[in-house]
Amino acid sequence: MLAAAGVISLGACSARTGGDSGGDSGAPQAAAPSAAANAADPAGDGKAQCAPTSIAYAGTINGDNAALGQNILKGAKLAVDQHNKANPGCQVKLEQFDTEGTPDKAPGIVTQVVNTPAILGVIGLPFSGESKAAGNIFNSAGLVSITPSATDPSLSTNGWKTFFRGLGNDNTQGPAAAKFITGDLKANKVCVIKDDSQYGNGLFEATTKALGSKASCTDQVKSKQTDFSAVVNKIKGEKPDAVFYAGYYREAAPLAQQLNDAQVKAKFVGPDGVKDDQFVKGAGDAASSAYFTCPCVPADQFTKFTDAYKAATGSEPGTYSPEAYDIATILLKGIDAGKKDRAGLLDYVKTYDGQGITKHFKWDDKGELPVAAVWTYKVDNGKIVRNTEIK
């Protein structure tokens, strides 16, 4: 994408150990951090006054890997709903634009967004490929966009003044994944497979570089590919200790299943783009031994947020739901502070310095956060659960 996290506060985010096991990783499961007491609340003080205005979610809603976008949209919508319920004098509309997550469709959709004058800020774009294709359009329009999940490091090097990343990039996740695979999983031979997306390429490069000589084989698959026999045979011949897949769950699920069917014993590790219940459903038996890395903070102990999310959606928060909630809250706080146009809200985000439920938000001049935590997750009884924080 994709991909998040950062620090809650040093006290809240330090990895504490619980009594349950971390499974094959050989490390005790880290306790989930609690939301900081001073985390920003989208409801504010309930006294905000503003003319009717809008922010937008732009990203996949119905396209491939749509579950990741739905997680983000639901988190953002919860923040907006809580804000509007508490502030009758300042009603903010959440506009929704479906890019289907593709670089070819995103520019046209983003053009629609920037041509909607009421929209002052954007939560999105979720994926790195679409972000690369359309980020210049946001920049030309002076419309602030904060991605909750796009992790390609190059996105912040384009000189865009409107781009902000609400998570760590793959220069953080790649080395962390390598550390987990070679350390906790004790893998000496790792096959690294990438898809053909911008996200997959960036994460592949960062991970293989960090693995060094332990990246014993590499290969690439295509978007919408379903038959992975050639890459499965290559991996089987290499007899690696682990397979790291840099891509999204749509291809990762059948790849993991076909590796399992071929009796490949290597541990399967996917990044944030794979960390979704749709992977668990699609991978079948292979999912039970899978691990994930993600620059996203476990939401287990974000009690107020999690309870409200479940009440509103009927489901548990997904990957990047709490990050989207934080990002929407920042935009709402700017509007509550009296920012009435795009330039004002952009300046507000540039100088923002505040605590969210997932981390402290303060961006540098490239739109990056200074500190990013990476967590590992695993599948337990058919559900994705937290494992350990990578230190």
Side-chain angles (χ1 to χ4, degrees), residues 182-195:
T182 59
D184 289 31
L185 299 185
K186 300 181 175 19
N188 289 310
K189 294 179 65 178
V190 185
C191 283
V192 185
I193 313 300
K194 67 174 180 177
D195 68 6

Side-chain angles (χ1 to χ4, degrees), residues 140-153:
S140 296
L143 180 58
V144 62
S145 64
I146 310 176
T147 177
S149 55
T151 52
D152 180 20

Side-chain angles (χ1 to χ4, degrees), residues 248-262:
Y248 295 104
Y249 66 76
R250 180 184 57 190
E251 291 78 29
L255 172 60
Q257 183 63 74
Q258 290 172 40
L259 285 167
N260 186 66
D261 291 345

Side-chain angles (χ1 to χ4, degrees), residues 142-223:
L143 180 58
V144 62
S145 64
I146 310 176
T147 177
S149 55
T151 52
D152 180 20
S154 70
L155 294 175
S156 62
T157 66
N158 293 299
W160 300 333
K161 301 303 183 183
T162 58
F163 173 83
F164 297 84
R165 200 190 316 259
L167 63 157
N169 65 40
D170 287 330
N171 285 337
T172 299
Q173 183 175 195
K179 184 175 182 179
F180 172 70
I181 292 167
T182 59
D184 289 31
L185 299 185
K186 300 181 175 19
N188 289 310
K189 294 179 65 178
V190 185
C191 283
V192 185
I193 313 300
K194 67 174 180 177
D195 68 6
D196 53 6
S197 69
Q198 183 77 18
Y199 164 61
N201 288 334
L203 184 56
F204 172 88
E205 291 175 4
T207 307
T208 52
K209 181 179 179 180
L211 285 169
S213 62
K214 292 188 177 181
S216 59
C217 74
T218 60
D219 210 334
Q220 178 173 324
V221 302
K222 296 181 179 179
S223 297

